[in-house]
Each structure stands twice: as structure tokens, then as C-alpha cells.
Amino acid sequence: TMGNWLVNHWFSAAVLAAWLGINIFLFTYYFLFFDRDDHYFYTRAILGSALAWARASAKCLNFNSMLILLPVCRNLLSFLRGTCSCCRRTLRKQLDHNLTFHKLVAYTLALFTAVHTIAHLFNLERYNHSQQATDGSLAAVLSKMHLQGSKWLNPIHSNETTVEYVAFTTIPGLTGVIITLVLILMVTSSTEFIRRNYFEVFWYTHHLFLIYFIGLVIHGIAGLVRGQTEESMEDVHPHRCAQYLTQKYEDCWHDCCKDPEFGSIPAESWKWVLAPFLLYVFERILRMWRAQQKVVIKKVVMHPARVLELQMQKKGFHMEVGQYIFVNCPAISRLEWHPFTLTSAPEEDFFSIHIRVAGDWTERVIDTFQQEMPRIEVDGPFGTASEDVFQYEAAMLVGAGIGVTPFASILKSIWYKFQQGDQTLKTKKIYFYWLCRDTGAFTWFSDLLASLEQKMAESGKSDFLTYRLFLTGWNTSIANNVALHFDNAKDTVTGLRQKTIFGRPMWNSEFTAVAAAHPRSVVGVFLCGPQNLAKSLQKSCHQHSSLDPRKVRFYFNKENF
């Protein structure tokens, strides 16, 4: 398993290095090509090195635009997850990084867009300057050439044309402005804060990606940036003829050179993005087809602290522990799909989700269900890290707030496996940590823990599950109440045998205790919670893992939405 851990990290690094390497290669290769190739000798006479900066960044933009949709093809990822059984853990672990990679590619697109835009602003300024120049320089002579026909080099044909005019009236100018604005909107609206608090804003702006791709494909069609044509190169090679453009001789005793002729660079963005775009279209069609399949709502439970539980059935629906589904409620919005972790176990004859208020959409769903029974559409299930929980001898499950949902599924499934005497269960011990701000949040989940506590005690397995509940937000009245009933067998907050702890966990001592209890085991650490908690758990995993492969290792997994 030490090898597994290394392979996993090496595989992540290798994928990243390959992606970075291709970006560096494309940029360097095309920068040097446009900076040195003789077809662009005359283009460089006007534009200088800004030509190479614009073209090299364009290639990298095409490459990353090709990749951006792949990590969000959920059905493709599910298919890969299911088919890869030989290198199962390693590849499946990589698939959990899909959104991290998606964001990385998006930021790279933003960077190359900035480079490309700045380079073209320089280019437009130089085209304009050369058009207005009357100094007989090579750039000025080239700008006045073939203005009537289609063999021109400088796209600015008159002294009245301004940079703004080109930016807002030509196809490359207008599409460039539009797709840059779209990219800015998409990047700024996908910050953690907006996604968590204004999901609708994130959802709708992200669908501007259609405009981005349409704009990208038609951006280069007009071919404003040009090079010398192949026929013209054979007749009048710049090395031989460039000097005669600025100094015309009266008598033509030498080999007279005709004026060079220019043609556009063929648009090729469509070649890069066509295949992934078609794949994504297929993905969306598949989602729509799956969404049309009937969902029967078996039971609706309204828990305290405004948490809504929906128990549903759907023909052909098969789930694994810790998976999630996308839910749509047409009565509220036909377009919005929201992710929810499944809280049911695979052994149950229904699947369930718990919805808490976290924005406009969830609030409206909860309000609607209190008045009527609206139609629900479901897409999924999709797999994430928690499926691997039974692969470890010991597992540490950490849930923050509603982040407890994937572990509801896992704990229920373990309960069923015990009842059925399942021999395939590798897990010998589970440590469960739940961090919550308010006492109301504990109520819906404490029933499950209470029944588990009882069942495991009855089957003589009470030491299998150790759980610790941490109340991170509390006031004096709660503290006084707890102090008053401290000697009671059951906790005053949850009604469970295990007492609630006030404050945050001391991860250092928790990991030390687990390492001492399992000196030779591989311990899976699973989190569904905020990023800062992920960082501290990841740090603890590294600190407490032994370098000796025969001793304890902690292996970190995080839920990704």
C-alpha cells in the first residue's frame, strides 16, 4: 500500500507534468515558428515580436479549450471509473481531482487570453501606425499594397480606421471582446463564496460556455493576421526581394521582383474543440434522457433545523456508498440541477437525500414540499472517494455540518453488512467525527447513530464504531445544561451514550491515538467538509504516516462537488 500511495502521487504529478509540458512545448514551438518562419517575414516587419506572442498563446488557448469540458463529463468519468479495475484505486483517485483540473485549465485559459489580447492590442496599434506612416519604410510600403484586391497584408486600409473600430466591427475583434467578457464572468462567478451562497448565479453564468465555444470557432475565420502565400514565396522570396520594396530602381537590369502577395492563416480552433464538444453534447443528451425517467417519491420527512429528507425510487437505479445525484425540480426551475450526496445504503430499497437551506433554490424546494408534492428529476448516481471506504482496515470519517451525508450512507451500509454477516468487509474499525455549529443539526442524524449503537451492542460489536461529536458553536445556557446533567448516561444534546465535545477536535492527539491503536494498518481518512479542514487533515495525514511501509499510513480522500 506504500507503493499504492506513491503511485497515486506520482500519477497525479505525471498527469500534471504532461499537461504543463504540452503547454510549454506548444507555446515555445509556435513562438519560434512565427518569430522565424520566412512566410511571416513581411508580417513581422509591421508587427514585430507581438505576432509570435499572439499566435503562440492562441495555440495554447485551443489546447486548453479542448480539455476544459472533459473533467465535467460526469457520465464519462463514471464510465472510466467502472471500466478501470486493473489500476482501480490509482485511476479512481485521479478522477476525484476532476474539478481541481477543470479549475486549473480555466485559470490557464484566463492567463493565455490576457497574453493573446495584449499582444493583439499591440498588433492593432502597429497596423494602424504603419497604415498612417509616410516615411517609405518597409512597414509603410507593405501597408499600402493590394488595398483593392484580396492579397493585402495590413487589415487597416484607411487612415480613418481606429483600433476601436476594428475591435467592435470585425469578426475577430467582436468575437474576441465577447469571449473575453464571457470568460471573465465565468471565472469571477465560480469563486467558492458565490458557489456556496449564490449557486444560481454560478449555474447560469457557467452556461455562457456555449457562447465561448461558438465565439472561439468563428474568431479566426476572417483571417486578419496574414502571411505570404506559397506561390508568392516561390516567385519573390523575402530574402531576395525585400530590399527592392523600399528602394525601387528605375532600370530593371537585375531580376525584377513583383510585389509579394498575402493570404490568411486558416482558422483551426474548430479542429481542437469539435471532438470534446460533441462528447459533451452526447453527455447532455444522456443526462436529459436519464432525467426523463420517472422518480417515485416514497416518503418526505421534515427534520428539525429545516432539513428535508426525500426517500425515492427509480427503475434501474443502482448506487454505491457515498455517491451523489443531481436533482432538478421543474416547478422551481427547469434548468437548475443541484448535487446532493445520497444518504441511503445500497442495501435499502429506496435512495434518499437530505436537503438543508443553502440558498434560494433549496429554500424554495423545502417550502414547496411543505405545501405539495412536486415532480422531481434525478441524474446519477455518480461516484466519489467514499466508495473506497471498505478497502481500508481502519477508516476515519470526518463530516462537517451537512457534510455528514455521505457517511450516513456508509454507516447504514456497514450496519446492513453486519446484519447479513458479510465476509467481504475488510474494515475492522471506524472512527467517526462530526463537527457541527448548532444543536439542531445533530437531531436528524442522531437517530441513525442511536440505532447503530444499539445494533452493534446487541451483536457484540460495540467497539467497531467509535464516534465523536463536536459542537463548535455553543452558548452559556447549553454549557450550563450539560454541566447540570453531566452524570446522566445519555448526552443532553443528542440523547446518545457518547458525550458531545464542546469546541474543535485536536487532530494531533486524534491521529496519534489512531496510529497507536493501528500500528501496522493503512487508515483511510475521508472528509466531506470545507477546504481549510481538508488542509489541516492532509497535513496530519503526512505528519502521522510512517515512512516504513510495514507501519501505519494515513491516506487522505475528499468529497468533490
Side-chain angles (χ1 to χ4, degrees), residues 14-24 63-64 67 101 104-105 108:
V15 168
L16 211 55
W19 168 79
L20 200 59
I22 294 169
N23 272 300
I24 292 166
F63 171 62
N64 287 288
L67 297 178
F101 185 65
L104 185 63
V105 172
T108 309

Side-chain angles (χ1 to χ4, degrees), residues 314-320 323 342 380-381:
K314 182 179 171 181
K315 197 179 173 186
F317 188 95
H318 301 291
M319 65 163 287
E320 296 292 328
Q323 286 189 312
L342 290 162

Side-chain angles (χ1 to χ4, degrees), residues 177-196:
V177 168
I178 290 168
I179 61 183
T180 303
L181 286 174
V182 162
L183 199 63
I184 290 168
L185 275 172
M186 285 166 77
V187 171
T188 51
S189 68
S190 57
T191 56
E192 184 84 11
F193 176 78
I194 289 176
R195 260 198 357 266
R196 294 281 173 234

Side-chain angles (χ1 to χ4, degrees), residues 114-182:
V115 173
H116 188 71
T117 307
I118 292 163
H120 271 321
L121 288 173
F122 275 105
N123 287 338
L124 281 176
E125 203 48 65
R126 284 170 181 171
Y127 275 139
N128 205 27
H129 182 264
S130 303
Q131 176 58 43
Q132 291 175 4
T134 51
D135 55 1
S137 64
L138 183 55
V141 171
L142 289 164
S143 297
K144 307 289 186 294
M145 216 174 265
H146 307 298
L147 292 184
Q148 301 312 312
S150 61
K151 307 288 174 64
W152 47 268
L153 176 60
N154 190 331
I156 297 178
H157 292 176
S158 76
N159 291 354
E160 284 75 55
T161 312
T162 62
V163 171
E164 291 78 17
Y165 179 83
V166 174
F168 290 101
T169 60
T170 63
I171 291 175
L174 194 57
T175 54
V177 168
I178 290 168
I179 61 183
T180 303
L181 286 174
V182 162

